[in-house]
Amino acid sequence: MWSLSAALSLLLLLQAPPCRLQSLSPVKLRLVGPGSKPEEGRLEVLYQGQWGTVCDDDFALREATVACRQLGFETALTWAHSAKYGQGEGPIWLDNVRCMGTESSLDQCTSNGWGVSDCSHSEDIGVVCHPQRQRGYLSERVSNALGPQGRRLEEVRLKPILASAKRHSLVTEGVVEVKYEGHWRQVCDQDWTRNNSKVVCGMLGFPSEAPVDSLYYRKVWNLKMKDPKSRLKSLTQKNSFWIHRVNCLGTEPHMANCQVQVAPAQGKLRPACPGGMHAVVSCVAGPRFHPAKAKPGHKESRAEELKVRLRSGAQVGEGRVEVLMNHQWGTVCDHGWNLVSASIVCRQLGFGSAREALFGAQLGQGLGPIHLSEVRCRGYEQTLSDCPSLEGSQNGCQHENDAAVRCNVPDMGFQNQVRLAGGRGPEEGVVEVQVEVNGVRRWGAVCSDHWGLTEAMVACRQLGLGFANHAIKDTWYWQGTPGATDVVMSGVHCSGPELALQQCQRHGPVHCPHGSGRFAAGVSCTDSAPDLVMNAQLVQETAYLEDRPLSQLYCAHEENCLSQSADSMDWPYGHRRLLRFSSQIYNLGRADFRPKTGRHSWIWHQCHRHYHSIEVFTHYDLLTLNGSKVAEGHKASFCLEDTNCPTGLQKRYACANFGEQGVTVGCWDTYRHDIDCQWVDITDVGPGNYIFQVVVNPQYEVAESDFSNNMMRCRCKYDGHRVWLHNCHTGDSYRANAELSLEQEQRLRNNLI
């Protein structure tokens, strides 16, 4: 029989109005359950450091919409009652949740209160969100996906045992050590699997794992356990030395996503890892970090096999994802994009697992088709093409939805071999490198002879500071580190993809006629850069021929916009035949395109009455089919300005009245077909089939995040009276190679291949 007080308490509880939960910051939500779709699953709430579920009583579409928006999705499609996504564990934190639909987080809705519920886990609610991400939801990171215990698993490393492994700067084999709550522990090898090894290798930047000689390592372990001088035996008797069990599927981007048992179930009453030893892992480095000696042509064939590439990334192993389909490169839509699919891309490219899957063109917008959307990798696939997906055109994706990744890459130790000194901030200064001189490692300066943007790009990448803003040859105003002012590296020539200056070509004995001091090489780095791309379709649509009288070409002649044969003509009588066209140059990057020099260095052109901020902004060329130039238009920049911007973006640059010059992110600069020098002089060219080529920023005067799309080419047919341009495309749209060096790009543009 219930007491009177108990009955009164129950009556008060039943009559109590729903309460609004009070918290200083929004609670965290997650969706869990079978399958890898990030937008659906059992709804769980993190409260007081513990994950719990939500009861399905009174839960409907309005409540599901609030939850989905809090999770970063646009809206909810539906909800699922009766534990459709499996029964959860732990507390049932919320019951009778009722929302208005305008709340920004689930804890702003009314409910019975934290932990007040009469439900069982058979009533756990699930939700299905629309896969479209909100504009402000930028990425899915490993750190965001971890629970409270997962966050205590901070890092993983390999401790080399073999003498040969200790000699290499890149450790690929050794004992697994996990940093747990600030202390390094070793992992018990009992029930250790190759799937566990795959996850560890992925975290360390390696695409795959290899078998280890477990008998040899067991022999070494037993010898150490018997050695009276070794502390290993006493250490292994402490549970704080071990991570007791790890069980991974092999698809996880981080060990903390695996089932990790830190200590035995009965705690201190049972020793951890009885009779076992530490787990040993062997990883296989990607070709970029461990180049094998290949047969001639092997590297090229491998590049052709890769049907995926990264573009516009500031660091190695990051960038916008592009795939090769139907002989054309295109992007991947971010609908359904997650860490599992991103990890497949990373491993396919020779990196480790993904540490971040980015949405909303965070690393710049691509061009051309959007090939894939709703990519659904399970984590076991070898390549992205093995994963189920939809065509990008099927669900209204735009290039503002382009997906990107940041991959785990191996620590080669290069970042510790370069530094900047004397700058106004950490992102600029004199470049100082550590090299071996007469068997001794020492710091010194780099000679600025031949120092250019390509070398500066490698230096900034090695420093982990992104792109190079400027390559500086005259650094008299920056003081280097005392004792490190001597030149230790000269004749540096990088091709582009190197990971460190030490990998670039350079002089054997140092030879720097200018010496150190004011002529030491310097850089200014930035984490974002512009990306200029020519509108190929507009060039194709606007091309035509004009026979222009010499009397109207004096200004153009003064600016070297005509072929050399114009010099010997009887001015002002006669005419020149011009191939004219309009050009539209977009800035698809993440920073404004600005001239290299300030206004004080701009050149006034009296004839056209405007300032040129860049000496050579574009090259216009007509080539034979085998690549020889038959006509060229050497075009200086008239001015750089925002001719047009999309709705919602304000123009920032204009040439009038000595205004600031540049091209804003998202805007474009248009040169109409009817302005001077917007042509190629083909007066001396006979009828035939040609290649018409335009190169933007040809001398790399201004840094960009991606130089591979600066070249545009068209097929050109000229019959002596009319001209046709067709198949116009940016330079890398149809290329089979996943990646070319900057040096190869330059040679391609100058027809030196």
Side-chain angles (χ1 to χ4, degrees), residues 562-627:
L562 301 175
S563 298
Q564 287 185 0
S565 62
D567 297 344
S568 58
M569 292 189 71
D570 186 15
W571 289 74
Y573 308 107
H575 67 271
R576 304 295 295 182
R577 176 157 290 182
L578 309 175
L579 169 55
R580 308 198 69 148
F581 57 96
S582 295
S583 67
Q584 202 172 64
I585 299 169
Y586 288 84
N587 181 2
L588 297 180
R590 294 189 294 143
D592 294 353
F593 186 92
R594 298 296 310 279
K596 178 182 177 181
T597 58
R599 295 191 202 191
H600 63 282
S601 300
W602 297 355
I603 300 172
W604 172 256
H605 283 249
Q606 179 65 29
C607 199
H608 287 132
R609 302 193 64 77
H610 54 231
Y611 283 92
H612 287 190
S613 57
I614 297 180
E615 185 180 349
V616 179
F617 183 51
T618 52
H619 274 164
Y620 300 151
D621 299 306
L622 195 66
L623 316 172
T624 63
L625 296 183
N626 65 8

Side-chain angles (χ1 to χ4, degrees), residues 35 45 58 158 225 289 462 464 467 575 585 623 654 666 736 744 749:
V45 184
D58 293 332
L158 296 183
M225 292 291 282
F289 305 96
Q462 184 179 356
F467 306 103
H575 67 271
I585 299 169
L623 316 172
Q744 289 170 315
R749 294 171 188 178

Side-chain angles (χ1 to χ4, degrees), residues 356-568:
E356 191 171 5
L358 297 101
F359 320 119
Q362 285 301 296
L363 297 185
Q365 295 185 24
L367 283 176
I370 301 172
H371 282 317
L372 301 178
S373 179
E374 306 283 353
V375 179
R376 303 291 186 190
C377 300
R378 296 177 60 213
Y380 303 105
E381 297 86 353
Q382 295 295 312
T383 67
L384 194 67
S385 58
D386 297 333
C387 304
S389 63
L390 300 177
E391 290 184 15
S393 58
Q394 289 184 359
N395 56 359
C397 285
Q398 304 294 323
H399 278 299
E400 62 188 24
N401 302 116
D402 285 344
V405 297
R406 287 195 173 103
C407 307
N408 289 315
V409 297
D411 181 8
M412 304 283 287
F414 289 140
Q415 199 164 341
N416 302 322
Q417 298 173 23
V418 66
R419 66 190 182 195
L420 299 181
R424 293 165 295 182
E427 72 287 343
E428 68 175 19
V430 178
V431 177
E432 295 179 349
V433 293
Q434 188 184 55
V435 296
E436 193 170 294
V437 180
N438 298 324
V440 179
R441 301 198 68 82
R442 55 172 294 194
W443 287 92
V446 179
C447 184
S448 63
D449 287 356
H450 312 298
W451 182 256
L453 196 61
T454 307
E455 289 72 34
M457 282 281 198
V458 173
C460 289
R461 185 188 305 133
Q462 184 179 356
L463 287 158
L465 296 176
F467 306 103
N469 218 0
H470 299 293
I472 301 163
K473 291 190 170 189
D474 195 344
T475 54
W476 61 269
Y477 42 84
W478 286 340
Q479 294 296 316
T481 305
T485 55
D486 291 342
V487 173
V488 296
M489 188 181 286
S490 66
V492 181
H493 177 72
C494 303
S495 59
E498 293 92 349
L499 303 173
L501 289 172
Q502 287 83 350
Q503 292 183 330
C504 300
Q505 295 178 19
R506 63 182 193 267
H507 290 155
V510 172
H511 175 68
C512 189
H514 296 300
S516 56
R518 64 171 293 180
F519 294 108
V523 294
S524 170
C525 303
T526 177
D527 61 354
S528 59
D531 183 18
L532 296 186
V533 184
M534 176 76 73
N535 183 343
Q537 188 64 30
L538 183 67
V539 173
Q540 182 169 309
E541 292 172 354
T542 57
Y544 66 96
L545 291 181
E546 180 192 10
D547 289 338
R548 192 164 183 81
L550 290 179
S551 59
Q552 299 177 19
L553 290 172
Y554 279 102
C555 280
H557 191 217
E558 183 183 311
E559 296 194 14
N560 298 316
C561 296
L562 301 175
S563 298
Q564 287 185 0
S565 62
D567 297 344
S568 58

Side-chain angles (χ1 to χ4, degrees), residues 343-370:
S343 291
I344 296 296
V345 170
C346 291
R347 291 183 189 272
Q348 185 179 352
L349 289 168
F351 305 114
S353 52
R355 57 186 174 90
E356 191 171 5
L358 297 101
F359 320 119
Q362 285 301 296
L363 297 185
Q365 295 185 24
L367 283 176
I370 301 172

